């Protein structure tokens, strides 16, 4: 029970990678707050964790809305205690070639993936600085490092998340807080199930380990980074991509 008595917030926790991260952290003893724009989904995922005898609660949160973020973080202090762990996982795609990309699609992706991570990290850092401990993990992406056809908005947002991670890591290190990013390759979730079979096969051909990743591959890396075993690791980007980018 490495994370016993720790309070963790996982954004975008209703499904996919976020939900699996929440299950992993709860399994290690943390009380996990699953926060998602789909509040019912978050609560139903939390209910399943509680049914397994672990601690979790679900809450509706739009990470791109500063007021929402403030009230969820205030609620965590009121109901539990200051936050120990934040996982900035909520993210969306709105793909299209850059020359045809609509301003709305640019703004929405940047608002959720990058501004949302900033807003949550800012609130978490305020709580963690008082306690002089804490761990933040931001979920970036392989395409934030290498770019990707049709994903100008998404890859820019994830490159931004990497810059945010390194800056915040420097700003809060003296308070005993670590900040890292996990950059997944292509993971089998709703986000990638929209790809047609031909595209999936082409992707798999580029992955030395010859498969898409599973949400568990990401969840285990996050669990390590927020544990005391990783207390000397900060400002890093951990690539979890089957060797697709070396
Ligand atoms: P997913 O299955 O689409 O899950 C994302 C969750 O975030 C959904 O529950 C979604 O709710 C929620 N969400 C969307 N907008 C939100 C907002 N404004 N505030 C709070 N929650 C919001 O995606 P995933 O594949 O698990 O991806 C999780 C993270 O990993 C994302 O940051 C993604 O960019 C990153 N990632 C994924 C892959 C991959 O291959 N899957 C690769 C690299 C990085 P709704 O469904 O109701 O919108």
């Amino acid at each position: 029970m490495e994370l016993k008595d720790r309070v963790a917030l996982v954004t975008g926790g209703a499904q996919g990678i976020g939900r699996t991260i929440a299950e992993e952290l709860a399994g290690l003893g943390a009380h996990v707050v699953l926060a998602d724009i789909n509040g019912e989904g978050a609560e139903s995922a939390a209910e399943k964790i509680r049914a397994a005898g672990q601690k979790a609660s679900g809450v509706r949160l739009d990470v791109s809305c500063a007021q929402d973020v403030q009230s969820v973080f205030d609620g965590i202090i009121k109901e539990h205690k200051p936050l120990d762990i934040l996982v900035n996982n909520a993210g969306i795609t709105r793909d299209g070639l850059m020359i045809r990309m609509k301003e709305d699609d640019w703004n929405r992706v940047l608002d959720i993936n990058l501004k949302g991570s900033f807003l949550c990290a800012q609130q978490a850092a305020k709580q963690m600085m008082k306690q002089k401990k804490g761990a933040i993990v931001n979920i970036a992406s392989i395409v934030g490092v290498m770019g990707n056809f049709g994903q100008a908005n998404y890859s820019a947002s994830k490159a931004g998340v990497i810059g945010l991670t390194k800056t915040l890591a420097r700003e809060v290190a003296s308070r005993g807080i670590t900040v890292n990013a996990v950059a997944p390759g292509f993971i089998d979730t709703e986000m990638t199930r929209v790809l047609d079979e031909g595209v999936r096969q082409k992707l798999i051909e580029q992955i030395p380990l010859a498969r898409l990743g599973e949400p568990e591959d990401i969840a285990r890396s996050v669990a390590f980074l927020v544990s005391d075993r990783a207390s000397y690791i900060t400002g890093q980007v951990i690539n979890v991509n089957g060797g697709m980018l070396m």
Side-chain angles (χ1 to χ4, degrees):
M1 298 299 260
E2 258 181 296
L3 302 179
K4 191 169 180 292
D5 298 330
R6 312 255 171 112
V7 178
L9 175 70
V10 180
T11 69
Q15 65 177 47
I17 294 170
R19 180 172 179 165
T20 308
I21 292 170
E23 290 166 353
E24 182 78 20
L25 302 188
L28 292 168
H31 182 121
V32 185
V33 180
L34 294 82
D36 201 289
I37 199 158
N38 173 5
E40 276 177 29
E43 179 43 33
S44 116
E47 172 58 41
K48 292 225 167 77
I49 292 174
R50 290 196 296 271
Q54 294 150 4
K55 295 184 203 130
S57 41
V59 64
R60 188 196 172 278
L61 168 67
D62 177 354
V63 294
S64 67
C65 170
Q67 257 181 332
D68 252 33
V69 171
Q70 175 88 56
S71 82
V72 165
F73 276 80
D74 288 350
I76 288 173
I77 294 205
K78 227 187 245 166
E79 273 178 49
H80 308 281
K81 61 182 187 65
L83 201 65
D84 300 293
I85 295 165
L86 167 67
V87 184
N88 269 319
N89 164 83
I92 62 162
T93 52
R94 293 281 184 276
D95 296 351
L97 287 181
M98 199 195 77
I99 51 164
R100 282 192 226 124
M101 187 169 283
K102 303 233 169 31
E103 191 182 347
D104 265 5
D105 290 337
W106 173 271
N107 287 341
R108 194 68 189 131
V109 168
L110 270 289
D111 268 2
I112 293 174
N113 299 7
L114 183 54
K115 190 178 91 176
S117 298
F118 157 69
L119 291 172
C120 292
Q122 190 180 48
Q123 290 298 322
K126 281 182 189 164
Q127 296 191 7
M128 291 171 179
M129 283 165 90
K130 287 190 193 136
Q131 309 189 88
K132 294 201 165 34
K133 66 181 172 73
I136 298 175
V137 175
N138 297 320
I139 304 300
S141 168
I142 190 171
V143 308
V145 181
M146 53 184 243
N148 197 25
F149 206 88
Q151 292 198 305
N153 49 0
Y154 183 77
S155 52
S157 75
K158 294 300 188 176
V161 163
I162 292 171
L164 173 70
T165 301
K166 293 181 180 180
T167 297
L168 189 58
R170 289 182 189 278
E171 290 187 6
V172 298
S174 64
R175 311 293 179 98
I177 303 164
T178 62
V179 188
N180 291 289
V182 169
F186 288 85
I187 309 300
D188 190 15
T189 68
E190 294 301 320
M191 192 176 263
T192 46
R193 275 179 211 135
V194 296
L195 300 172
D196 72 44
E197 198 43 39
V199 176
R200 270 171 89 91
Q201 282 315 317
K202 280 225 166 78
L203 277 174
I204 290 172
E205 283 165 21
Q206 297 169 53
I207 302 171
L209 288 177
R211 64 169 176 88
L212 295 191
E214 297 295 332
E216 288 75 9
D217 294 316
I218 306 306
R220 286 191 288 260
S221 307
V222 172
F224 168 66
L225 286 171
V226 302
S227 76
D228 293 343
R229 286 183 292 164
S231 59
Y232 198 55
I233 301 176
T234 197
Q236 303 305 307
V237 182
I238 310 297
N239 294 298
V240 184
N241 57 37
M244 192 175 185
L245 174 75
M246 296 189 186

